[in-house]
Amino acid sequence: MKQDNILIVGTGAIGGFYGALLAKAGADVSVVCRTDYQTVKKQGYIINSHNLGNWVFNPSQILSNASEYKGKADYLLLCTKITPNIDRVKIIQDAVTPNTTIVFIQNGVEVEQQLIDAFPDNEIISGLAFICCNRIKPGVIHHLAYGKLTLGSLNKKLSSSNKVQYLSELFIQSGIEAVTTNQITTSRWLKCLWNASFNPLSVLSDGLSTQEILSSQEKLIRVIMQEVCDIAHACGHTLPADSIDTNINNTYVMPPYKTSMLLDYQNHQTMEIEAILGNTIRAAQRQQVPCPTIDTLYGLMKLKELQTNQA
Amino acid sequence: MKQDNILIVGTGAIGGFYGALLAKAGADVSVVCRTDYQTVKKQGYIINSHNLGNWVFNPSQILSNASEYKGKADYLLLCTKITPNIDRVKIIQDAVTPNTTIVFIQNGVEVEQQLIDAFPDNEIISGLAFICCNRIKPGVIHHLAYGKLTLGSLNKKLSSSNKVQYLSELFIQSGIEAVTTNQITTSRWLKCLWNASFNPLSVLSDGLSTQEILSSQEKLIRVIMQEVCDIAHACGHTLPADSIDTNINNTYVMPPYKTSMLLDYQNHQTMEIEAILGNTIRAAQRQQVPCPTIDTLYGLMKLKELQTNQA
């Protein structure tokens, strides 16, 4: 059986970990990595997982740029953060062939159209990772908890495609939970409930844990989540009636942990303010749905960003 | 002519500076001070003013408690911050005689009733200081800019009293601008426009200057100020139509400086979250005026306080 050719672009914690899993499942996995290039060339990725063991992931090709990729990617996984300083199209386009399925495992809402416009003839899969996973130093990735992937194709006319199903089965073979959905964009809004509330509050409180934030400000969290629900609804995505309660209850029983935005903030990295809050607000404006709480968080996060850039 | 007996309770930057001015104008000024007691006993207050010169203010009596005051205070100036850990009645009551006029020079809205209830037969003057003045070390006060006092009596039945006028003249004699008003409570709401916006934003941005905050987030500042205007209006205080524009324009030409809440935050002191934001929100709830932006700032400031208390 022919090996699947998979190229991962953006191999921080998420890209490195899921790439390592696909290699474990038997795929030919190559990586484009910037920051950790030299280290990965020498030692590969050291993966320490809380439930899947410790192993070294040696990518088939280690590249600093997608244009260097030799071969034809069946799947190209885009796993960078979504920030204004990263051009999602430019960093992948040189490795996209007509048969490449583009999979983006990234946070944020309304992040689909940019890729659909750039690659109208490719199948595009939108992915959401529910995982606690950190890159603790160059080439070393700790998988701390969870790991579930939700995957869904964005191409309606390709509804009979089995690419999503096939990819999810590869992940399942590697030991991780993976589900497919016909409503991935709705799932993205659902995930935004948590992201739009806990991410900025963890930064604005200078590093309180999700537990502490929730214990002190459950009411505020609920107001933020309700605004996201209202915007999602106006955009045609009906979230389950108990979405807010479920998010609140799950967070109470989660181990306290640092959100991705807090980690970025503390590491002086660009935060996903636009993908998570900015795009939510732009959707609200388009649909004329008021969201004064998210507006406030957005303004405050822009100040935080300004302060970081000065420091 | 009989010297006026004046007791200052709370002699940080504001109390120390205005006390020093009243002594300069010829009054017999005593102080109740806690933190700086030993230093002030030894050397008095060293005052360095940008426009009024440098001098030493030697209080008539230096006390650690109002109950130790010998004499009858004509005026008792309460100049502490308003925070939940300070009982404004308890710290002054032992020095209040039937003829004592109580003057509180403090920030916040809806802070009048507590004193009116406790001292129903005394004249009470509400004062607002528009000043940039810091206690740079024990017993040393720097007056950096401005200095204007706005004073108004809260006792309607004492409208013929000349206590406010007399006190403002004492201040004017000492070289500072002082004005009296029949609408001091409205003035307090007007000052809250600035306090409710720039104070929390300076803390939540981790120390950006008023200039930087305004340049980046003028729209958010205007939203906050509009919420304060709406609440004030519902409480019966009509602020001038150009209040927001005036505040914005004045802040653009002000030298960039650190707000009082930011200084408190950086010095691990209790911030006036309740007097400025909490009381504003409680007034809004009473009048059923929505204020989602101030609600958000309040929640975030409570998280900031929680984080500080842990550190």
Side-chain angles (χ1 to χ4, degrees):
Chain A
M1 188 184 147
K2 179 191 164 292
Q3 238 188 342
D4 300 291
N5 290 324
I6 298 180
L7 177 64
I8 316 277
V9 177
T11 41
I14 298 285
F17 180 68
Y18 287 112
L21 288 179
L22 292 169
K24 217 168 165 236
D28 178 280
V29 181
S30 297
V31 299
V32 174
C33 65
R34 294 173 305 166
T35 327
D36 297 359
Y37 182 83
Q38 292 301 339
T39 310
V40 173
K41 268 280 188 196
K42 247 181 269 174
Q43 65 171 45
Y45 289 93
I46 297 166
I47 312 286
N48 300 318
S49 166
H50 74 109
N51 66 339
L52 299 172
N54 305 322
W55 76 98
V56 175
F57 160 44
N58 285 305
S60 176
Q61 301 170 49
I62 299 164
L63 314 165
S64 58
N65 198 296
S67 63
E68 301 161 7
Y69 184 58
K70 292 178 188 71
K72 292 190 172 182
D74 299 303
Y75 292 93
L76 186 154
L77 268 64
L78 176 59
C79 300
T80 61
K81 285 185 296 173
I82 301 186
T83 58
N85 55 335
I86 298 175
D87 185 330
R88 296 161 80 211
V89 174
K90 204 171 169 186
I91 60 170
I92 65 171
Q93 63 190 5
D94 290 339
V96 175
T97 71
N99 293 317
T100 302
T101 298
I102 299 166
V103 185
F104 61 99
I105 303 178
Q106 299 181 300
N107 275 321
V109 292
E110 308 227 316
V111 294
E112 298 86 358
Q113 203 57 46
Q114 183 187 18
L115 296 179
I116 294 171
D117 289 346
F119 306 102
D121 300 322
N122 289 78
E123 178 158 2
I124 299 178
I125 294 174
S126 169
L128 293 167
F130 299 85
I131 189 165
C132 185
C133 188
N134 297 329
R135 166 189 169 281
I136 59 159
K137 60 181 182 177
V140 181
I141 294 169
H142 271 204
H143 169 219
L144 303 166
Y146 309 105
K148 180 181 157 186
L149 273 178
T150 301
L151 300 166
S153 177
L154 297 179
N155 303 55
K156 291 192 190 79
K157 57 186 171 183
L158 294 167
S159 60
S160 60
S161 148
N162 63 357
K163 296 274 194 160
V164 178
Q165 196 56 43
Y166 184 86
L167 185 64
S168 80
E169 277 162 20
L170 263 187
F171 278 115
I172 290 166
Q173 275 174 47
S174 76
I176 209 85
E177 192 186 355
V179 297
T180 63
T181 174
N182 292 324
Q183 303 198 298
I184 187 65
T185 306
T186 302
S187 302
R188 201 165 268 286
W189 277 101
L190 190 56
K191 194 179 183 202
C192 188
L193 258 67
W194 200 94
N195 278 333
S197 48
F198 285 100
N199 270 295
L201 264 57
S202 65
V203 174
L204 292 167
S205 69
D206 276 324
L208 288 182
S209 73
T210 46
Q211 289 289 321
E212 294 166 320
I213 292 168
L214 190 53
S215 303
S216 164
Q217 295 296 322
E218 181 179 327
K219 195 179 143 198
L220 177 59
I221 296 279
R222 286 180 177 273
V223 170
I224 300 165
M225 290 183 173
Q226 189 60 56
E227 287 186 1
V228 177
C229 283
D230 293 345
I231 300 163
H233 186 76
C235 293
H237 303 284
T238 306
L239 308 184
D242 61 354
S243 299
I244 295 175
D245 286 337
T246 303
N247 262 285
I248 297 284
N249 296 338
N250 288 349
T251 307
Y252 268 121
V253 297
M254 243 170 65
Y257 91 115
K258 289 190 174 189
T259 68
S260 64
M261 230 184 245
L262 178 60
L263 288 172
D264 287 335
Y265 177 71
Q266 291 178 336
N267 295 323
H268 307 284
Q269 301 287 316
T270 309
M271 296 178 282
E272 292 183 300
I273 300 173
E274 293 305 330
I276 294 173
L277 298 174
N279 287 358
T280 299
I281 288 172
R282 285 180 279 273
Q285 285 168 343
R286 196 180 63 234
Q287 305 295 337
Q288 299 184 291
V289 177
C291 58
T293 309
I294 299 173
D295 285 339
T296 309
L297 296 179
Y298 178 73
L300 293 171
M301 289 301 288
K302 297 301 273 186
L303 289 178
K304 212 64 174 169
E305 189 176 57
L306 187 65
Q307 200 266 355
T308 311
N309 292 344
Q310 284 180 356
Chain B
M1 188 184 146
K2 179 189 165 293
Q3 240 188 340
D4 300 292
N5 290 324
I6 297 180
L7 177 63
I8 316 278
V9 177
T11 42
I14 298 286
F17 180 67
Y18 288 111
L21 287 179
L22 292 169
K24 216 168 166 237
D28 178 282
V29 181
S30 297
V31 298
V32 174
C33 66
R34 294 173 306 165
T35 327
D36 297 358
Y37 182 84
Q38 292 301 339
T39 310
V40 173
K41 267 281 189 197
K42 248 182 267 174
Q43 63 171 48
Y45 289 93
I46 297 166
I47 311 286
N48 300 319
S49 167
H50 75 109
N51 67 339
L52 299 172
N54 304 323
W55 75 98
V56 176
F57 159 43
N58 284 305
S60 176
Q61 300 171 49
I62 299 163
L63 314 165
S64 59
N65 198 296
S67 65
E68 300 162 8
Y69 184 59
K70 292 177 189 74
K72 293 189 171 183
D74 298 304
Y75 292 93
L76 186 154
L77 269 65
L78 176 59
C79 300
T80 61
K81 284 184 299 174
I82 300 187
T83 58
N85 56 334
I86 297 175
D87 185 330
R88 296 161 82 212
V89 173
K90 204 171 167 186
I91 60 170
I92 65 171
Q93 63 190 4
D94 290 339
V96 174
T97 71
N99 292 318
T100 302
T101 297
I102 299 166
V103 185
F104 62 99
I105 302 178
Q106 299 179 301
N107 275 320
V109 292
E110 308 227 317
V111 295
E112 299 87 357
Q113 203 57 46
Q114 183 186 21
L115 296 179
I116 294 171
D117 289 347
F119 307 102
D121 300 321
N122 288 78
E123 177 157 4
I124 299 178
I125 293 174
S126 171
L128 293 167
F130 299 84
I131 188 166
C132 184
C133 186
N134 296 328
R135 166 189 169 281
I136 58 159
K137 59 181 183 175
V140 180
I141 295 168
H142 272 203
H143 169 219
L144 303 166
Y146 309 105
K148 180 181 157 187
L149 274 178
T150 302
L151 301 166
S153 178
L154 298 178
N155 304 55
K156 293 192 188 78
K157 58 185 171 184
L158 293 167
S159 60
S160 61
S161 148
N162 62 359
K163 295 277 194 158
V164 178
Q165 196 56 43
Y166 185 87
L167 185 64
S168 80
E169 278 163 19
L170 263 186
F171 278 114
I172 291 167
Q173 275 174 47
S174 76
I176 209 87
E177 192 186 355
V179 297
T180 63
T181 173
N182 292 325
Q183 302 197 298
I184 187 66
T185 306
T186 302
S187 303
R188 201 166 267 286
W189 276 102
L190 189 57
K191 194 179 183 201
C192 188
L193 259 67
W194 201 94
N195 277 333
S197 48
F198 286 99
N199 270 295
L201 264 58
S202 65
V203 174
L204 291 166
S205 69
D206 276 324
L208 288 182
S209 73
T210 46
Q211 289 288 321
E212 294 165 319
I213 292 168
L214 190 52
S215 303
S216 164
Q217 295 297 322
E218 180 177 328
K219 194 179 145 199
L220 178 58
I221 296 279
R222 285 181 178 271
V223 170
I224 301 165
M225 289 184 175
Q226 188 60 55
E227 287 187 2
V228 177
C229 282
D230 293 345
I231 300 163
H233 186 76
C235 293
H237 303 284
T238 307
L239 308 184
D242 61 354
S243 299
I244 294 176
D245 286 336
T246 303
N247 262 285
I248 297 285
N249 296 339
N250 288 349
T251 307
Y252 268 120
V253 298
M254 245 170 63
Y257 91 115
K258 290 190 172 187
T259 69
S260 64
M261 231 182 243
L262 177 61
L263 288 171
D264 286 336
Y265 177 71
Q266 291 179 336
N267 294 322
H268 307 284
Q269 302 287 315
T270 309
M271 296 178 282
E272 291 183 302
I273 300 173
E274 293 304 330
I276 294 173
L277 298 174
N279 287 357
T280 298
I281 288 172
R282 285 180 279 275
Q285 287 169 340
R286 197 179 64 233
Q287 305 295 338
Q288 299 184 289
V289 176
C291 58
T293 309
I294 299 174
D295 285 339
T296 308
L297 297 179
Y298 178 74
L300 294 170
M301 290 299 289
K302 297 300 273 187
L303 288 178
K304 212 63 174 167
E305 188 175 60
L306 187 65
Q307 201 266 357
T308 311
N309 291 344
Q310 283 179 359

